Every structure is written in structure tokens, then in C-alpha cells.
Amino acid sequence: MDEDKAVMKLKNDLGQVLSRHKGVILNPDREMVINRVVRNREAITARQGFLYTFTLPESTGRSPKDTMIVRNPESDPYIDWDSPYNLSLDPETFGMLWQDALDQLKRKKNIYVTERVLGADPAYAMPVRTVTDSSLTALFTLNMFRPIPADIAGSIFAEKQFLLLVLPYDKIETSRYRDRLRHLPGGKTSDLAIVMDFANHLGLVYGSAYGGSVKKLMFTVMNYNLPFSDILPLHCSANEDSQGRLSLFLGLSGTGKTSLSADATRSLLGDDEHGWSGTGVANFEYGCYAKLINLDPGKEPEIFDAVFHRDKVTRHGAIVENAMIYPDSSFDLSDERLTPNSRASYPLSFLKNIKQSARGSHPRNILFLTADANGVLPPVACLSRDQAMFWFLMGYTSKLAGTETGVVDPVSIFSRFFGEPFMPLLPEMYAELLGKKLDEHQTRCFLINTGWTGGPFGVGRRIDIGLTRSIVNAVLNGDLDEVAVSEDQHFFFKVPKSCPGISPTFLVPRETWADDGQYNARARKLAFEFYHAFDKAYGNKKIAKTLMDQCPGRSTIPA
């Protein structure tokens, strides 16, 4: 059987299951789905009205080692198979998994089918049809994916509906998949799989009840497809001021992306996934999937209220995953015994200061956020076009290592485009598209360090979020556009010499350290880590020399 016929059979077989099954529920409304969740005991009702659920340990987060891309001639040349996150699966094994999933689906009492889209801009809204036996998964898609717009026929993806099959609580019969799926310690075979077939618009979540498996699979699908239409997908939050001037915030976990973009004076388009097209920026999603660990109602009141406000159960429908909640509906968001990755899914409309259309103009500002635990990056730096493309490629932040007998060095994290697991294409495709858009729209780019000053973690101190907010406000208001700058000798970007309300000494990290020699040694160490990470990730890629010239550490490497 040739490949086209094999794929058609997969789709037809699912169609036959749906046409013959007596318990198919097509496009149920949200209230009905919430009632089903409660009746099926897939989640528990809290007295505040939200729903909470607990999953098995393997479903408390993404499963990157079980997330795979089907290899086929149409998509293969564009995928960066050197990335550790782009794991391949042969079409034959995918077909086996799909048929096994259908065999499970046939035996279910009910099948829920939701038809939604990703993308607030109808010009590239992607239809997605989710088929699942789980009412909770169906509710997740209603929270997170957008209603189909009236003018969907005008979308570039109107005839390319993505078909997503989700069996969150079933496990793969591993005896059939030895040497086909991941080997586990002890010789066992993994019993879950998350698979994307970009060319044939098919996706499968088999054995993962983590909501993020569904969300991030579809984000990855968008990130694969959009650059071919000159649309740049971005893992970022977006907000705009009263004059419609848009700003984007890119950053990995712990850098302040959600906190800094949530501003009472600015309207939020979205907190995670956006596309930048020829007409501007648009949110992909209809909801938020917020981390709950250590959520502080004093510092993030809007997110807290969106999840934990009181309402009738059938109107609420926020889903809380794996937070420490007690039988009396009280909760402890600082308790990470179940997982440090507790989450909540809720519609964007639960937030107060949002832009209903979730669309805006071309960005005036892009802020790359990093939490540098080395204490050597300035709290703000101005980036040239090539520097912005370089920092976009690197996606740098620090992760604090655990301690047993004392403080140990933080670990440098480099995640291309601030979301490497979800960016499957060759890196130059994303970087060059960013450069093109920066040229077209004269967007200003800045690096914001929300990490340490005065020394590394354990010696210096974390930059107060109030100071960071003041700096961000200065950036967004244009207060740094004309100030004098100096070039950083280690990282080459320009550092402002003044900022309203901020001490000039604070702006220069070297001035905050007690010892110049220790500062320079630490800065050189981080610069060398940049050089090594860049060479490892991009040494064999088609990266422009002007970008390579921005790499810190190059002056410390012998010619």
C-alpha cells in the first residue's frame, strides 16, 4: 500500500468508527461537557466552582522522549533532525498506533468530538477536530482552542483541518512495539506516545492525561506550518497600550513572562502563543494554561481570580491539574509533592484586562527575558537587529541547581526561540523570518534580565520585580530611545547609561560587584558557555555570519 492510500485508510477508519458508534457527541456546548466531567468523575468539583483532577505521575508534565514526528518526504527536508526534541517515527509504527487507538475507541461508552480553530486571525486560523473518549479533554479544547470564525473559508488552512485523536487514560500494548518505541530502564517499552504527522495533518495523544500534551502538540503543528506562509510563530505573551502600540515578551519559565505582561494599564492579547503575519500579531489560543506553583494572589491577582473565583460549576469550568487541594476545597499552591508543574486551564475571558479580538498591530517592542543567575547581564540592554536574531536563536536563561551541602553553580539553559521543543523547523527559517520582520517594521528589541545583580546566586540578590517593572515601563514608553549607551565588552550589546527612577550604577552589572576580577571571570565563563552552545547547535546550520559575529566568547577562542 503506498503512503497516500495508507494515510487515507487511517482517516477513513476513524470516520467509520464515528459513523457506527452510538455514543458520539458532536460539538457539545461547554455546560454539557462540564456536566459530563462531573458525572463521569473525571474531575472533582471544588466549592468555588472549578474542577480539579489528579493524574498519574507520567502525566504531570510533557513527555518529550515520547513525543515524535512521523517521517515522510514532504516534511523531512525542513525539520531539524539534529534537535534533541525532534524524534522520528516511521509511518508503519504510526499506523499501528492509530489502529490500536481506534480499537480502544470502539469500546468506549461515549466519544466526544470538538471542532475548533487555532489562530485569532481568520486569515490563518487552523481548524482542528479533536476526537476523544474523555469529557475532560473535550472541555480542555473548549477552554484552549477558539470557536470557528464565520469567515473560516478564507483561511489558508480552510481545507487542511488537523485531526487529533486523544486517548489520555489508555496505555499502549507494549508487546507489539519492542524496538519501535522508546526503551525504558530495565528493558521495558514505553506505553505512551504523542505523535505528529505534519504532512498529513494527523496527531495522536495515546496514554498522556497531561493537558499540555494536547496544547503543545497543536502549538508545534502551527510552528511547523506558519513560516511557509511568511508568518512567524512565537512563544510569547503580548499586550498593547491605550494607543494600540503592541509589545511582545519572550522568555522561558521563571523569567517573568506572565507577570510582566500582566499590566493593569495594558490590554492582554494572550500569555503564550502568537503569530506575526503581514497584518500584525494574533493569539493562537482562546484560553490560558497557567502554572500554579507558588502563585501569589498579591502579585498575580488576575490569574488567581481567574482560577479560584466563585461561580456556578457549569459556568466556571476552569480545570486545575495536580495542585495540592484538600477535601474541604482549601489548597496549598506552594506544595509541590504531587508536581512542581501544577496547572490551570481557563478561558481568556476570565481575565479582566484583555483585548477581546486577541489581535493587534505589528509590535513596537520585543523584550527578551532572561533570569541570569550569574549576575553578569545588565537589567536592560538595547539589541541591534543581528543581536536580536542571535538572542532569539539562543533563548538563554539560568536554572538553579539543587543544593545539598551548599550553593552550587546555576546551570545555563539555551532553548532556541525560547521554546525549542515546539519549534521543529530548521533554525534559520525562524531566525531569518524574524530579521525580515524587524527590517519591515523597525521593531525595537531589548534584553531584560530579571535574575541576579551584585554577584551570582548565593552571593548577589535577585532583582526586585518592582525595579524590573519600572525598567519595562521605561522601555515601553520610549524613555530609553535617546539615552546615551555603552557597549558591554563581553556580550557586545548596548547598555543604557540612564533610566528614569533607576540608579545609573544599578544599570551596569560590573559596578554592582565588590570585585572587578571576579565579575570579569564570571562574565567570561558565561560568554564561553554561549560560544560552546552556539557552536554545538548551529555549527552545521546555515546561520548568517553577521549573526555568528554576535556570539559572546568568540574573542576567547583561539583562531
Side-chain angles (χ1 to χ4, degrees):
M1 185 182 299
D2 63 42
E3 188 170 338
D4 289 342
K5 289 181 179 179
V7 171
M8 187 61 66
K9 183 178 186 305
L10 299 183
K11 295 179 179 180
N12 288 341
D13 287 349
L14 175 58
Q16 290 181 16
V17 171
L18 295 178
S19 65
R20 295 171 180 172
H21 199 287
K22 300 185 184 303
V24 174
I25 302 173
L26 177 63
N27 289 322
D29 63 39
R30 194 165 178 271
E31 181 174 337
M32 176 187 178
V33 175
I34 293 171
N35 280 325
R36 288 289 182 128
V37 170
V38 175
R39 190 181 78 181
N40 297 344
R41 298 185 178 181
E42 292 186 52
I44 302 169
T45 305
R47 67 167 182 262
Q48 296 90 339
F50 65 85
L51 302 168
Y52 64 98
T53 185
F54 304 100
T55 66
L56 294 172
E58 67 269 20
S59 291
T60 56
R62 293 188 310 106
S63 302
K65 294 181 180 180
D66 297 299
T67 300
M68 295 161 284
I69 298 169
V70 178
R71 298 205 72 144
N72 57 61
E74 183 177 333
S75 58
D76 273 13
Y78 306 103
I79 294 172
D80 183 9
W81 295 110
D82 293 331
S83 169
Y85 294 100
N86 290 339
L87 306 179
S88 66
L89 185 71
D90 64 275
E92 181 183 7
T93 301
F94 179 61
M96 292 169 58
L97 288 168
W98 187 270
Q99 293 297 341
D100 285 353
L102 293 185
D103 288 341
Q104 295 282 358
L105 194 66
K106 293 173 186 175
R107 296 193 284 268
K108 304 299 183 181
K109 180 179 180 181
N110 289 114
I111 300 174
Y112 302 88
V113 181
T114 63
E115 295 172 320
R116 309 284 278 185
V117 301
L118 273 80
D121 188 338
Y124 60 91
M126 177 177 286
V128 53
R129 190 179 211 220
T130 306
V131 178
T132 181
D133 68 312
S134 165
S135 56
L136 192 64
T137 298
L139 177 59
F140 185 86
T141 67
L142 298 182
N143 282 352
M144 301 303 299
F145 300 161
R146 306 186 65 83
I148 299 175
D151 49 354
I152 186 63
S155 169
I156 59 176
F157 299 121
E159 303 302 320
K160 297 180 178 180
Q161 182 188 66
F162 196 86
L163 185 55
L164 178 60
L165 176 56
V166 184
L167 291 177
Y169 305 112
D170 289 282
K171 294 299 181 183
I172 295 166
E173 176 50 62
T174 58
S175 61
R176 301 185 63 211
Y177 294 94
R178 185 173 178 83
D179 298 325
R180 289 181 178 270
L181 297 179
R182 179 167 68 100
H183 289 286
L184 299 175
K188 293 184 178 180
T189 300
S190 177
D191 61 0
L192 67 90
I194 298 139
V195 190
M196 296 158 280
D197 185 339
F198 297 130
N200 296 301
H201 316 293
L202 295 173
L204 176 65
V205 176
Y206 197 155
S208 173
Y210 178 56
S213 295
V214 169
K215 168 187 159 74
K216 291 303 186 183
L217 183 152
M218 288 309 306
F219 182 38
T220 308
V221 169
M222 293 291 278
N223 295 343
Y224 170 83
N225 281 280
L226 291 181
F228 295 107
S229 298
D230 209 31
I231 302 167
L232 177 63
L234 292 163
H235 187 205
C236 70
S237 56
N239 66 23
E240 68 176 24
D241 64 16
S242 59
Q243 299 178 52
R245 293 178 299 194
L246 190 79
S247 296
L248 304 180
F249 300 75
L250 283 73
L252 298 172
S253 179
T255 60
K257 177 167 62 79
T258 300
S259 299
L260 292 172
S261 62
D263 186 328
T265 67
R266 301 174 65 85
S267 299
L268 184 73
L269 276 71
D271 77 330
D272 200 42
E273 301 170 5
H274 294 79
W276 185 1
S277 72
T279 57
V281 171
N283 189 1
F284 290 167
E285 299 182 296
Y286 195 57
C288 299
Y289 190 53
K291 256 191 169 183
L292 293 181
I293 195 69
N294 296 321
L295 181 70
D296 186 338
K299 294 181 179 179
E300 296 180 284
E302 286 220 345
I303 297 173
F304 187 89
D305 184 64
V307 180
F308 297 108
H309 70 275
R310 289 179 177 270
D311 202 348
K312 185 180 178 182
V313 171
T314 51
R315 281 198 302 263
H316 202 304
I319 304 169
V320 173
E321 293 181 8
N322 297 312
M324 185 57 73
I325 299 179
Y326 302 105
D328 64 353
S329 292
S330 62
F331 43 85
D332 182 357
L333 299 183
S334 66
D335 191 324
E336 57 180 60
R337 282 177 291 175
L338 294 174
T339 176
N341 192 39
S342 53
R343 293 275 180 168
S345 162
Y346 55 88
L348 267 168
S349 59
F350 283 12
L351 299 170
K352 296 181 177 64
N353 194 27
I354 63 167
K355 187 173 185 182
Q356 292 290 340
S357 70
R359 298 168 62 185
S361 62
H362 300 288
R364 184 169 186 258
N365 309 291
I366 295 178
L367 283 68
F368 298 111
L369 307 177
T370 182
D372 175 39
N374 295 281
V376 298
L377 295 184
V380 58
C382 309
L383 303 178
S384 68
R385 170 194 182 273
D386 289 334
Q387 287 169 346
M389 293 170 69
F390 172 81
W391 285 84
F392 185 53
L393 277 167
M394 297 307 291
Y396 165 71
T397 194
S398 298
K399 181 174 72 173
L400 299 180
T403 61
E404 290 188 7
T405 59
V407 175
V408 297
D409 277 350
V411 177
S412 294
I413 300 296
F414 298 96
S415 182
R416 63 178 70 172
F417 316 119
F418 299 93
E420 181 174 8
F422 324 116
M423 301 291 191
L425 294 174
L426 294 166
E428 59 266 27
M429 296 180 68
Y430 300 111
E432 290 172 4
L433 191 50
L434 173 65
K436 177 182 177 182
K437 291 189 176 297
L438 294 180
D439 289 340
E440 289 175 350
H441 305 291
Q442 298 300 301
T443 301
R444 307 174 310 167
C445 298
F446 298 85
L447 178 71
I448 303 292
N449 178 23
T450 64
W452 273 254
T453 186
F457 172 72
V459 177
R461 67 185 187 279
R462 185 80 188 256
I463 297 173
D464 183 80
I465 192 171
L467 290 175
T468 300
R469 286 189 189 280
S470 295
I471 291 171
V472 167
N473 288 336
V475 167
L476 302 189
N477 293 335
D479 295 336
L480 302 186
D481 290 357
E482 304 297 332
V483 302
V485 297
S486 61
E487 182 176 295
D488 187 287
Q489 64 175 322
H490 298 288
F491 299 96
F492 315 129
F493 41 53
K494 301 295 192 297
V495 179
K497 292 184 177 181
S498 63
C499 178
I502 303 296
S503 166
T505 300
F506 178 70
L507 296 173
V508 183
R510 177 174 45 79
E511 298 293 332
T512 67
W513 282 57
D515 186 292
D516 280 359
Q518 290 182 2
Y519 165 79
N520 283 316
R522 193 73 180 215
R524 284 194 297 268
K525 178 178 179 293
L526 179 60
F528 180 77
E529 289 178 355
F530 266 86
Y531 185 94
H532 178 73
F534 184 86
D535 186 62
K536 181 179 179 181
Y538 305 118
N540 64 344
K541 305 301 178 186
K542 297 178 180 179
I543 304 300
K545 185 179 183 303
T546 54
L547 270 66
M548 297 172 65
D549 288 343
Q550 304 306 319
C551 184
R554 66 177 188 270
S555 61
T556 67
I557 306 299

